[in-house]
Each structure stands twice: as C-alpha cells, then as structure tokens.
Amino acid sequence: MDRQKTYVVEHLDPECGPWSTLEYAAIANESKEAGAKFCLSSAPKDLNLSESVTDIKGFHIEHHSVEDVYQDRKNQVCLLDPAAKEELSPKDAHNFDIFVFGGILGDDPPRDRTSELRKKGFTARRLGPIQMTTDTAVRVTRMVIQGQS
C-alpha cells in the first residue's frame, strides 16, 4: 500500500491575499481528492484564512516552520527548489512522503526566497526551468509522485 503523501506550503508572507487563498483552496481540494494531505506551515497565528480553505478535509494549518514540524522525519522531506540539480521523478515517491513548497513562486524576477528553506538541509528536487504558480507546482508534483491528473 502506498504511503500517504503530504504537500506543504511554507507560508512566508505575513498575510494571505485573495490569489493565495484561491491557490490554497485548489491545493487543498485536489490533495483531498488524491488521498493526500495539505499543510500550510509557518502561518502567523493571526493569519486570516477563508473557511473555503480551512473547512476542507485534509487541510492543516501549522504555526511552526516545516523544519520544526517534520524534524523527526527530515529524511522523508523533499524541498521543491528551482535551484536543485536533480529533477523530481516518479521514483521519488518511494523516497519521500512530504513535499515542501515555499518562497519559490510569485515574484518576477524571482527573489529566491527558497534559499531560506535550502539552508535547512532538506533533499531538493526541481520541476524544471519554468517558474510556476504554487498550485500548479503542487499539481505537477502530485502528478509525478501519485500519477494523478
């Protein structure tokens, strides 16, 4: 039996705008449909997040960083990093259960906020050379890892 996968967005902003809310709702719904979990980590305690996201089964909000939350499972964490040398592949489904996105997307040109997570020492993979929205990056990762469309 396949192990349940968790997709984590390390929320690096003090607020959650309408675009991010839509992305998070899409990630939560699609993760639920695929039998996976979605976690929003490093969320400020006063983050105002719509019930359209928080009420989705399988969604979890965490106020601690991904490093703290998965400290005892670090070997199961894959950081999706555009600077990684190795591409994400289906074989990574056997190596990792937790896939982390954060500080990766949304700025043009990119500010490389992923570097904050890179310093934590997680194993990294990349999705290719093209910058994607967060929900698209999670969707592509899920398709590679779980074979979902």
Side-chain angles (χ1 to χ4, degrees):
M1 174 144 187
D2 289 335
R3 300 179 312 226
Q4 186 175 43
K5 304 303 180 191
T6 301
Y7 301 96
V8 180
V9 172
E10 182 87 344
H11 188 81
L12 299 175
D13 292 316
E15 70 282 328
C16 186
W19 184 259
S20 293
T21 299
L22 288 172
E23 288 184 321
Y24 294 165
I27 294 167
N29 277 313
E30 293 171 11
S31 294
K32 176 187 73 168
E33 290 170 11
K37 294 180 182 177
F38 171 49
C39 176
L40 191 63
S41 62
S42 289
K45 290 190 187 304
D46 62 349
L47 184 68
N48 186 11
L49 197 57
S50 168
E51 289 178 3
S52 66
V53 178
T54 59
D55 287 349
I56 296 170
K57 184 178 179 186
F59 172 78
H60 176 71
I61 192 162
E62 181 61 61
H63 302 294
H64 299 284
S65 73
V66 68
E67 179 183 34
D68 293 338
V69 175
Y70 297 107
Q71 182 177 40
D72 60 337
R73 297 170 63 193
K74 193 172 185 177
N75 65 326
Q76 296 174 13
V77 176
C78 177
L79 172 64
L80 278 296
D81 181 354
K85 304 236 183 297
E86 193 173 333
E87 300 285 334
L88 185 71
S89 73
K91 70 179 170 69
D92 288 318
H94 304 290
N95 301 324
F96 305 108
D97 294 326
I98 303 149
F99 298 86
V100 178
F101 308 79
I104 299 172
L105 311 164
D107 296 320
D108 189 21
R111 291 186 286 166
D112 192 23
R113 294 191 300 173
T114 306
S115 65
E116 297 173 32
L117 294 171
R118 195 177 299 131
K119 295 173 192 170
K120 310 291 184 188
F122 296 116
T123 301
R125 297 288 188 268
R126 65 184 227 136
L127 296 175
I130 305 299
Q131 183 172 334
M132 301 176 203
T133 60
T134 305
D135 58 331
T136 299
V138 174
R139 192 173 296 118
V140 169
T141 299
R142 192 175 51 253
M143 289 171 69
V144 170
I145 296 302
Q146 294 184 261
Q148 301 291 323
S149 58

